[in-house]
Amino acid sequence: MNHDNASPTVPFRTAEEAMAWITGLTSFGIRPGLDRIVRLMETFNHPQRRLKFIHVAGTNGKGSVCAYLTSVLRQCGYDVGTFTSPYLTSYSNRLQYNGHDIEDDVLVNLANRLKPVAEEMASGEWGSPTMFEVTTALALLYYGTVAYPDFVVWETGLGGRLDVTNIVTPLISVITNIGHDHMDVLGPTLEDITREKAGIIKAGVPVVTAVSQPEALRIVRETASERQATLYRLDGDYAFQPLEIAEDEQKFTFQGPFRAIQSLTVTMNGVHQLKNAATAVMTLEVLRQYYALILDDEDLATGLRNTTWAGRLEMVSRDPRILLDGAHNPEGMEALSIALRDVYKFDRLNVMTAMMPNKNHEQTLRHILPMVDTLVITEPDFHKKMNAADLAAVVDRLRSEFGRPRNVIVEPDWQRALELLLEASAESAPDVNTLNVITGTLYLIADVRSWLLHGTKSEKGW
């Protein structure tokens, strides 16, 4: 059956109605597997087959690598679709074309095409598609039947092998790194997690990776070899060297198999962003070498320098200084603590955090607690949150070991917690340079960012 021109019985009239339906599908949870997305795409005549994808997986750095790739490709004059998750302000942030969110009328139209098909599946043996499956289907319909970008920068949702984004056969696959995250779904060891991420490697499709742990790299290498996919490894096939590191400006050299580039600049902070930028450059170099990508040196330099990524070491206020960073796993918090040590100047460090229950909290907090003066523990405005009291119990155990933070405040209401953080900051003497950092789950970062920048809360439901 072909539903390309199907009209649902009760069509959505507004983007709010369409988003309410999509986010309402969250109740079907995460159901790994490609059966339902394949079925959906068959119904619409496989729009993904018309598109050129750059498929990006990994524990941390996916969003930043996608941002670098999008910025450079657009600077080179290409039309670019960017599919990322989770979003920080609005559901439509996830589906971008040339840096702009999907238009409301397009979203409504596509949701109206999808809804009858989803409902038909729900009443049959397949069961209802999940929220992420419908969102992915919407993206493929958007790019494959409405926008027609030259490239789609395509971020994996969770894992890789069974993630619904894996329905595509890309021009190139990217695996940024492997860390301890989503272990409840992906498995208890780094090897388990790597097997899932390496599942995006396709026969004959080149792979770029910055994976560093020997046991993880071995699996990536073996998978690439089995599938006859050329592998480009950081510190093996390509490398970068920091030249200068300052707040809001980092310079580095890039050495790859095809050429060396003497000096590139990024304005995103943290040495981990040099690794992300180098991984993006290697990806672009493969596309330039084998897929006739037109990549001028000047466009590459400008595209990298202009890249920003919300909620990652983002200074949203200078007075008082408020830094947002969605460090929600041990590797992310380690990167934040290194950046705090190497990049930012401060006399006092005040931190506000909230977590989700399925994270490796003790290992995550170990990286930052020894630096903290005042810690405010709160909760994200999300149904699967970790209680502030439970997180405080973890902090208490570590506090006896480190003797820090000096001061701990527990306040479940994040808006009140934010007030308490800023009150603690205001109590410092005028000549004391205080840095306020808000970190942890992106559900918290999303709300705080929207509140500080726009005076509103973010939409939920990713």
Side-chain angles (χ1 to χ4, degrees), residues 172-245:
I172 188 164
S173 306
V174 183
I175 302 172
T176 56
N177 56 30
I178 305 294
H180 299 81
D181 210 350
H182 299 296
M183 297 163 85
D184 50 331
V185 179
L186 302 180
T189 69
L190 280 182
E191 286 96 330
D192 294 323
I193 296 169
T194 309
R195 278 190 198 94
E196 294 303 316
K197 309 272 188 203
I200 72 163
I201 298 173
K202 304 286 194 308
V205 175
V207 191
V208 173
T209 189
V211 168
S212 57
Q213 305 95 324
E215 68 271 36
L217 191 54
R218 180 177 54 79
I219 290 165
V220 173
R221 195 187 263 123
E222 284 170 5
T223 310
S225 175
E226 280 163 20
R227 296 179 192 167
Q228 297 182 311
T230 309
L231 179 64
Y232 299 92
R233 296 162 304 130
L234 179 65
D235 296 330
D237 305 289
Y238 70 101
F240 69 91
Q241 205 61 44
L243 293 174
E244 290 172 35
I245 294 183

Side-chain angles (χ1 to χ4, degrees), residues 251-262:
K251 288 183 163 53
F252 68 103
T253 62
F254 173 86
Q255 300 83 39
F258 313 125
R259 62 174 177 157
I261 303 169
Q262 291 317 311

Side-chain angles (χ1 to χ4, degrees), residues 28 79 83 106 111 315 317 329 340 348 423 427 452:
F28 292 102
D79 291 324
F83 181 67
V106 177
M315 193 73 76
S317 168
N329 53 37
L340 290 172
R348 283 181 64 83
E423 280 172 20
E427 285 164 10
L452 290 170

Side-chain angles (χ1 to χ4, degrees), residues 290-302:
Y290 296 114
Y291 296 101
L293 177 80
I294 297 165
L295 179 68
D296 288 347
D297 288 5
E298 200 175 309
D299 289 333
L300 173 63
T302 303

Side-chain angles (χ1 to χ4, degrees), residues 32-65:
L34 299 176
D35 294 345
R36 282 177 302 280
I37 191 73
V38 168
R39 179 92 180 156
L40 276 171
M41 289 303 99
E42 278 172 359
T43 305
F44 292 102
N45 205 15
H46 306 288
Q48 75 278 10
R49 292 182 183 169
R50 301 170 207 152
L51 298 162
K52 295 186 176 113
F53 293 91
I54 302 170
H55 198 180
V56 182
T59 302
N60 296 322
K62 294 192 297 290
S64 298
V65 169

Side-chain angles (χ1 to χ4, degrees), residues 308-419:
T308 59
W309 188 234
R312 307 304 195 281
L313 288 173
E314 182 185 17
M315 193 73 76
V316 290
S317 168
R318 298 272 168 190
D319 186 18
R321 291 168 81 211
I322 305 175
L323 184 70
L324 302 184
D325 191 63
H328 55 266
N329 53 37
E331 291 77 12
M333 198 64 87
E334 183 179 22
L336 169 59
S337 65
I338 291 168
L340 290 172
R341 186 192 70 206
D342 294 348
V343 180
Y344 297 93
K345 306 282 185 286
F346 55 86
D347 305 317
R348 283 181 64 83
L349 180 67
N350 295 340
V351 172
M352 171 170 143
T353 192
M355 298 278 182
M356 297 297 282
N358 61 346
K359 302 292 178 180
N360 193 336
H361 306 106
E362 190 163 316
Q363 292 308 321
T364 302
L365 290 166
R366 275 180 179 282
H367 289 295
I368 197 160
L369 290 189
M371 310 167 81
V372 178
D373 291 290
T374 294
L375 178 71
V376 181
I377 299 169
T378 189
E379 296 173 4
D381 178 14
F382 191 68
H383 62 96
K384 287 192 294 190
K385 65 191 176 188
M386 182 179 192
N387 292 332
D390 294 341
L391 188 55
V394 178
V395 170
D396 270 350
R397 287 201 300 276
L398 294 171
R399 199 179 180 190
S400 58
E401 183 182 330
F402 297 132
R404 298 285 285 261
R406 294 199 177 98
N407 184 22
V408 176
I409 299 167
V410 182
E411 172 49 71
D413 180 318
W414 70 262
Q415 283 175 289
R416 178 70 190 127
L418 182 59
E419 288 171 11

Side-chain angles (χ1 to χ4, degrees), residues 72-285:
V72 173
L73 289 168
R74 287 187 60 210
Q75 186 67 35
C76 292
Y78 291 103
D79 291 324
V80 184
T82 312
F83 181 67
T84 55
S85 60
Y87 62 82
L88 275 184
T89 310
S90 157
Y91 174 85
S92 54
N93 296 162
R94 304 181 73 156
L95 302 117
Q96 293 204 333
Y97 177 66
N98 285 342
H100 297 288
D101 295 357
I102 186 172
E103 295 95 340
D104 284 357
D105 59 332
V106 177
L107 181 66
V108 170
N109 183 18
L110 294 176
N112 282 332
R113 288 170 66 188
L114 273 167
K115 187 173 182 238
V117 186
E119 287 176 343
E120 193 171 319
M121 283 176 71
S123 63
E125 60 181 303
W126 299 94
S128 173
T130 64
M131 178 266 186
F132 191 66
E133 286 166 345
V134 167
T135 301
T136 305
L138 202 111
L140 293 171
L141 282 176
Y142 178 42
Y143 299 132
T145 69
V146 179
Y148 304 110
D150 299 310
F151 295 96
V152 180
V153 177
W154 190 242
E155 185 187 331
T156 301
L158 199 162
R161 183 175 65 93
L162 298 174
D163 187 75
V164 282
T165 62
N166 209 24
I167 188 175
V168 311
T169 299
L171 293 179
I172 188 164
S173 306
V174 183
I175 302 172
T176 56
N177 56 30
I178 305 294
H180 299 81
D181 210 350
H182 299 296
M183 297 163 85
D184 50 331
V185 179
L186 302 180
T189 69
L190 280 182
E191 286 96 330
D192 294 323
I193 296 169
T194 309
R195 278 190 198 94
E196 294 303 316
K197 309 272 188 203
I200 72 163
I201 298 173
K202 304 286 194 308
V205 175
V207 191
V208 173
T209 189
V211 168
S212 57
Q213 305 95 324
E215 68 271 36
L217 191 54
R218 180 177 54 79
I219 290 165
V220 173
R221 195 187 263 123
E222 284 170 5
T223 310
S225 175
E226 280 163 20
R227 296 179 192 167
Q228 297 182 311
T230 309
L231 179 64
Y232 299 92
R233 296 162 304 130
L234 179 65
D235 296 330
D237 305 289
Y238 70 101
F240 69 91
Q241 205 61 44
L243 293 174
E244 290 172 35
I245 294 183
E247 190 173 334
D248 301 332
E249 184 169 278
Q250 304 190 76
K251 288 183 163 53
F252 68 103
T253 62
F254 173 86
Q255 300 83 39
F258 313 125
R259 62 174 177 157
I261 303 169
Q262 291 317 311
S263 180
L264 294 166
T265 302
V266 294
T267 52
M268 294 212 280
N269 287 306
V271 73
H272 57 289
Q273 285 300 353
L274 298 184
K275 188 182 288 188
N276 292 332
T279 302
V281 173
M282 186 67 248
T283 305
L284 293 161
E285 285 286 283

